[in-house]
Amino acid sequence: NAGVTQTPKFQVLKTGQSMTLQCAQDMNHNSMYWYRQDPGMGLRLIYYSASEGTTDKGEVPNGYNVSRLNKREFSLRLESAAPSQTSVYFCASSGGGTSTGTEAFFGQGTRLTVV
Amino acid sequence: DAKTTQPPSMDCAEGRAANLPCNHSTISGNEYVYWYRQIHSQGPQYIIHGLKNNETNEMASLIITEDRKSSTLILPHATLRDTAVYYCIVRVGTGTASKLTFGTGTRLQVTL
């Protein structure tokens, strides 16, 4: 049981390049999330997926796209990377359902630098 | 969305109880209070959550005031490994769309 797995762990991009951050969970959770964390700051929600086939914008969605490929996988794509997107990206999943009392599990993060 | 207010930093001596306060005066009746912590730059780790009753698990205790406008996370015997940023979060939304909105948290430093 690996929990939430993110790949890659580290990435350096040049401005304008594109890339996809991968996230997979093996806990059969309904909901998945992408957050970013800038130095000295709390986590900010980029996009989330309440269930397979649905996605919604979070607090800071500009410059990103997401795909909920299936129940296990939720990817985050940067189409044209900018230095302002240098950050640590965390994926999370939670059971969801009709109760809000379900904890979320986080991956270990992808450290992205855009030069 | 209910917001939370936490002190930016706190110190605690190893072996003593760490009491971390959180204010959430605009919380709604069906919103839960969650606590997470983040050690170094690792992914946040769930600690505990509650609605209106006090809760305890193997990691911590959560005390929620009767009016639900504030809560306190208690680490009963803090160790150096408890040094981390602690986030108090009110979970917004209902059903499968409920989200976690993070603030800046409290940086707890446990010292010898």
Side-chain angles (χ1 to χ4, degrees), chain A:
Chain A
N1 187 340
V4 179
T5 304
Q6 293 183 233
T7 55
K9 290 185 170 51
F10 300 92
Q11 184 71 49
V12 178
L13 288 179
K14 293 182 178 178
T15 298
Q17 285 186 318
S18 62
M19 79 161 295
T20 300
L21 281 64
Q22 307 286 352
C23 175
Q25 53 93 6
D26 61 4
M27 295 171 283
N28 201 33
H29 283 162
N30 292 323
S31 303
M32 297 186 73
Y33 313 83
W34 276 106
Y35 289 86
R36 62 177 285 175
Q37 185 175 33
D38 299 329
M41 306 286 287
L43 281 74
R44 292 184 293 170
L45 183 64
I46 305 172
Y47 271 93
Y48 67 101
S49 171
S51 61
E52 186 178 353
T54 68
T55 60
D56 283 287
K57 295 178 180 179
E59 185 185 357
V60 288
N62 291 343
Y64 305 96
N65 287 300
V66 291
S67 295
R68 183 75 183 267
L69 304 171
N70 47 56
K71 193 169 187 179
R72 288 188 64 246
E73 298 172 289
F74 189 38
S75 62
L76 178 72
R77 182 161 178 84
L78 287 70
E79 290 291 351
S80 179
S84 60
Q85 294 178 303
T86 294
S87 190
V88 181
Y89 291 83
F90 290 102
C91 177
S93 72
S94 69
T98 57
S99 167
T100 59
T102 305
E103 69 261 38
F105 294 83
F106 284 79
Q108 288 305 298
T110 295
R111 282 146 183 82
L112 175 67
T113 302
V114 183
V115 297

Side-chain angles (χ1 to χ4, degrees), chain A residues 30-31 33 35 37 41-43 45 48 50-51 88 90 94 96-108 111, chain B residues 30-32 34 36 38 41-46 49 87 91-104 107:
Chain A
N30 292 323
S31 303
Y33 313 83
Y35 289 86
Q37 185 175 33
M41 306 286 287
L43 281 74
L45 183 64
Y48 67 101
S51 61
V88 181
F90 290 102
S94 69
T98 57
S99 167
T100 59
T102 305
E103 69 261 38
F105 294 83
F106 284 79
Q108 288 305 298
R111 282 146 183 82
Chain B
N30 63 347
E31 290 178 318
Y32 286 71
Y34 280 74
Y36 282 75
Q38 188 175 27
S41 297
Q42 298 176 20
Q45 176 190 21
Y46 165 81
H49 73 276
Y87 295 99
R91 190 156 193 175
V92 300
T94 58
T96 58
S98 59
K99 300 171 285 185
L100 293 169
T101 300
F102 287 78
T104 53
R107 184 171 298 277

Side-chain angles (χ1 to χ4, degrees), chain B residues 9 17 19 22 26 37 44-45 47 49 58 63 66-68 74 82-83 96 102 106 109-112:
Chain B
S9 64
N19 296 279
C22 180
T26 59
R37 72 181 183 184
Q45 176 190 21
I47 301 173
H49 73 276
E58 65 277 5
I63 309 297
E66 192 169 340
D67 63 7
R68 303 208 328 123
I74 301 171
D82 292 321
T83 293
T96 58
F102 287 78
T106 295
Q109 181 69 50
V110 180
T111 58
L112 291 171

